[in-house]
Amino acid sequence: MNIYNDYLNEIEERKGQGLHPKPIDGAELLSEIITQIKDLDNANREGSLNFFIYNTVPGTTPAAGVKAAFLKEIILGESLVSEITPAFAFELLSHMKGGPSIKVLLDLALGNDVATAKEAANVLKTQVYLYEADTDRLEAAYKSGSEIAAEILESYAKADFFTKLPEVVEEIKVVTFVAGEGDISTDLLSPGNQAHSRSDRELHGKCLISPEAQDKIEALKAEHPEASVMLIAEKGTMGVGSSRMSGVNNVALWTGKQASPYVPFINIAPIVAGTNGISPIFLTTVDVTGGIGLDLKNWVKKLDANGKAVLNESGDPILEEVYSVATGTVLTINTKTKKLYSGDKELIDISKAFTPQKMEFIKAGGSYAIVFGKKLQTFASKVLGIDLVSVYAPSKEVSIEGQGLTAVEKIFNRNAVGSTPGKVLHAGSDVRVTVNIVGSQDTTGLMTSQELESMAATVISPIVDGAYQSGCHTASVWDNKSKANIPRLMKFMNDFGLITARDPKGVYHAMTDVIHKVLNDITVDEWAIIIGGDSHTRMSKGVAFGADSGTVALALATGEASMPIPESVKVTFKGDMKGYMDFRDVVHATQSQMLQQFGGENVFQGKIIEVHIGTLTADQAFTFTDWTAEMKAKASICISEDYTLIESLEIAKGRIQIMIDKGMDNATQVLKGLIAIADKRIKEVISGEKPALRPDANAKYYAEVVVDLDLIAEPMIADPDVNNADVSKRYTHDTIRPLSFYGGNKKVDLGFIGSCMVHKGDMKILAQMLKNIEEQTGKVEFKAPLVVAPPTYNIVDELKAEGDWEVLQKYSGFEFDDNAPKGVARTGYENMLYLERPGCNLCMGNQEKAAKGDTVMATSTRLFQGRVVEDTEGKKGESLLSSTPVVVLSTVLGRTPSIEEYKAAVEGINLTKFAPSHKLLVK
């Protein structure tokens, strides 16, 4: 009774927070609940019945196994519960989504009781989350002459589980809610500082936007009960910054519909929209839930008589409203005409939101069911020896004779599954592809584990070359929340087959390296496809896609992903990089020059950036690919010279070997296998058998951008522009300013060097600058705090070996100690150097933050409101993004430097140089 009483006490505590009972996932608690259900005189029997029926987590959770076993007892008459008839027990099994429930249904369907077998078969015909253990049983039974097995397989071959679902309704009424003006970061929908609660969906739902916004949404629902609330980014893009499944979950919790009456707080079918549409990676997350994402285009550029955009004083296009979506506006989505209406008035074509594939996601309640359904139908047809019946919308296959392939088109063609044999596919084609590398990060990992449980997966797909579970997002502070969540996550993922940052057995030392950096090292083939649970999954080898926790789970479970082949934008370079400039300035200038070349249109949005980087190794090139998330690109690809690629692979091999030496490899020797893949690839390049990946000379691009290095005359800074009169222009990454804009007098309250945008070279630049400053002035005195978080431990080890870490220690006032990690986040900083543990630190904003209202100069990628620094009543927090030398100098001076001060400070410093390749990097 102790466990149940503890649960009741927890329920009382949650009531004080305005929360319902937490859904049950533990076997021990549910076993006690079942004991009380069986005891007709038990005082807790009614409550126990309610918890068992309506509050138990399905899938492969320990509780689901106990629930499925008890329902089997009821169906077989071994236990009698008047409130749960055998028919109701079958209904409950049908909502449990695989794992133990499928095993029970197969037991019953393949048993000796004919009537029970028929009932079980009818439920099985509606299920899609079957794995090899389940399908092997069915196949064996069929080959042994089982009529029931044949009947089930015939149903699967016809895909009855999909075709018999209700069709998508023709008209969907929506009432608008403007969540904000300008780009809306997923931080607004699911703040990083609330990451610890993501797996508790109801609790996490409390952090959506604001309590006032939640009240307004509830009021709109009450006022318009026939309509769904549509969340809108006015004058901006919805869901920039990261995929964040928790953001979609929160939106669905407040505006969607319950997926099952027997599973609380799992909602589907949210509707989101933006003037400039939905961020690509966020839209994938919306698809996971069977939701709808609309590109409203309700504001357009004002044009003059010659058709040119009219600009304001700042040089930005003036926008004109085409139609209003002000909060409370009632509109109609027609899924048949694929138009948006206000009453009878047609507003805009929204057919991109209702492609045949997206209509299937909506019908099935999400994309997972389609992926698993297709696999199940293929399996059944093969076993029965019949042709595959065309049930699902045929994959769009675009093949243009005489047109070459971009780099991403080549990768997708190589990894395609189920496409027409021998057919060359171009951009726009819908493709299933095998996934080579998968990454799960720690603040979304608990959700990924939940998704894996919900889709009844128990082991990683054997076709995945390697997968890694990070600990970087919770690296800064080892607090009670981390202690409760992270070890549990690491054990689950380690058992599932991933290489984990922390060893559940405690043998090897915990590694908090930034996930993208680790994935960049374990990607050992530039033809690879990578899926990672973070928007900065942007490798400088292969093509990598940041994804929500669900898509990561799907990749882990199936080794596949599905998406259209994106169009590409080609980026090349000309001119010479000035000696006092850093490569980070080239990255910012790329974005700035692109916007100038295309009249303010971001041609990168939703596209692959194919950057002909040529001469930079993977570490340095990663600075560019990492930033492409802020350019709103779908992904990026680096085109390298042969020997640059070889050098990158050799570096990767060395770092993988370090992981092996630490004891991080698993029973299947995944890490050893990656070294073998790298060795094979190096031999192919050296022999000329298979040179480094190149696009074809006659490939077609959406656009081509030429970056003129001669034009980059001073450091470039991405500015959140927090006081821009046009709210929609604030907190975008498109405002790139030269250092001189600030006149050498903008106060800087804190500097941050770290996160994924820096590499070993940046740490060496920091050490060199500190030595120079001491030589020039006799001492190093910080007028603002400088927080330094190296991205990986191997970088720290290399700096120690080369003497640079000793320099940093000399000037630091704090150095991390892994044997005594911080248990509480800092609330204030002194004017000194902080050497923090490798990991995300301030960039993530979920543990440590700058003081409210601070102006921060950072090397990181995040400038969104409230991410690195929050506002105060009188001052907005600012996170300006720049190169390492600018950050260092800004903290020493306590302000932005002048260009003259900057040049003097970096004289003789070995900055990250870049010279464009002189080779034509095409095939």
Side-chain angles (χ1 to χ4, degrees), residues 180-183 234-235 721 724-732:
E181 283 193 37
D183 290 348
E234 178 80 310
K235 294 186 182 177
D721 203 10
N724 193 312
D726 184 347
V727 177
S728 70
K729 296 289 194 271
R730 300 176 188 172
Y731 305 106
T732 77

Side-chain angles (χ1 to χ4, degrees), residues 523-538:
T523 300
V524 287
D525 184 350
E526 85 279 22
W527 290 79
I529 292 178
I530 305 99
I531 297 290
D534 192 285
S535 60
H536 287 96
T537 304
R538 309 273 171 144

